Amino acid sequence: MSDPTTIRRLYGRRHGHALRAGQAALLERRLPELNVTADGPLTAERMFGDDRPLGLEIGFGRGEHLAAQAAARPDMGFIGCEPFLDGVVGLLGHIEARGLANVRIHMGDALDVLDRLPDASLDAAWLLHPDPWPKARHAKRRFMNKGPIDLLAARMRGGAEFRFGTDHPVYCRWACMVMGLQPHFRWLAERPADFLHRPDDWPETRYEAKARRIGHEVWYFRYVRAG
């Protein structure tokens, strides 16, 4: 099976419904100033003007989790990767409403950002409710594969935390298998409550809320980068 770092594709279609006039205006006004730089290394100094801690959210959905994290940690810089236009507009709305100045956006594949981040530059990373790609032939598109996780590990400093959440049992089992073979991360769970209950500093996403409404169980995984 090919790995996502080889096929360079973690997502399907990029566009949903047509944007309303206000959304289109917000996108045109704010996205150019918040886009990550087009080339070169993605350092904190280049993106935020100082040497601050960095966090990365891989597929931020509509942006509610990323915005909450950024509001709670104004001295930290956050990079959000999301290929879907509706999601980018959602995050821009949160940024505008909260007056956030510590978020940068890449409307595309997270692998592109990971390629450009320096080694040991990330202090935190999140992968929350990604598309499970449940069919066997689509498993190669999951971020949870050896190639992307190896790349993420290289970009995280020792002691940095990686959080993964899902309500899909197939993806849950797959992630446990992939991370169980990973020498660079240590699972922080010591008892079932540690992965069955959302930590207080883990804001709920709309995807998680939807999963709860339809009766799905949700699992919360926390890993620390060894070394």
Side-chain angles (χ1 to χ4, degrees), residues 55-210:
L56 172 71
E57 184 159 351
I58 301 157
F60 55 73
R62 294 298 180 90
E64 57 272 10
H65 173 273
L66 181 55
Q69 291 288 357
R73 306 182 197 183
D75 296 328
M76 186 172 182
F78 291 84
I79 309 167
C81 302
E82 176 59 57
F84 298 106
L85 183 62
D86 290 350
V88 171
V89 171
L91 177 59
L92 289 173
H94 290 298
I95 291 171
E96 190 91 336
R98 293 174 179 246
L100 301 174
N102 58 334
V103 178
R104 297 295 180 266
I105 298 171
H106 173 64
M107 197 174 87
D109 201 314
L111 294 174
D112 299 332
V113 167
L114 285 168
D115 280 341
R116 296 171 57 200
L117 284 167
D119 283 350
S121 61
L122 289 176
D123 293 80
W126 296 268
L127 176 66
L128 307 181
H129 298 273
D131 189 327
W133 295 110
K135 295 180 180 179
R137 69 177 184 272
H138 291 153
K140 61 190 176 185
R141 290 191 177 184
R142 296 171 184 159
F143 187 90
M144 272 291 183
N145 271 292
K146 184 181 185 306
I149 296 299
D150 282 347
L151 184 57
L152 178 64
R155 302 303 187 252
M156 297 184 75
R157 65 170 178 79
E161 189 172 317
F162 170 46
R163 293 185 173 186
F164 165 70
T166 186
D167 64 303
H168 197 282
V170 172
Y171 208 151
C172 180
R173 292 192 294 271
W174 177 273
C176 286
M177 178 186 70
V178 171
M179 295 304 290
L181 297 172
Q182 249 292 331
H184 304 299
F185 288 101
R186 177 172 58 86
W187 191 17
L188 293 177
E190 296 179 352
R191 58 191 188 279
D194 292 336
F195 59 89
L196 294 175
H197 301 288
R198 179 164 40 84
D200 292 338
D201 63 345
W202 186 322
E204 184 180 52
T205 70
R206 68 175 58 203
Y207 296 104
E208 178 188 346
K210 178 181 178 181

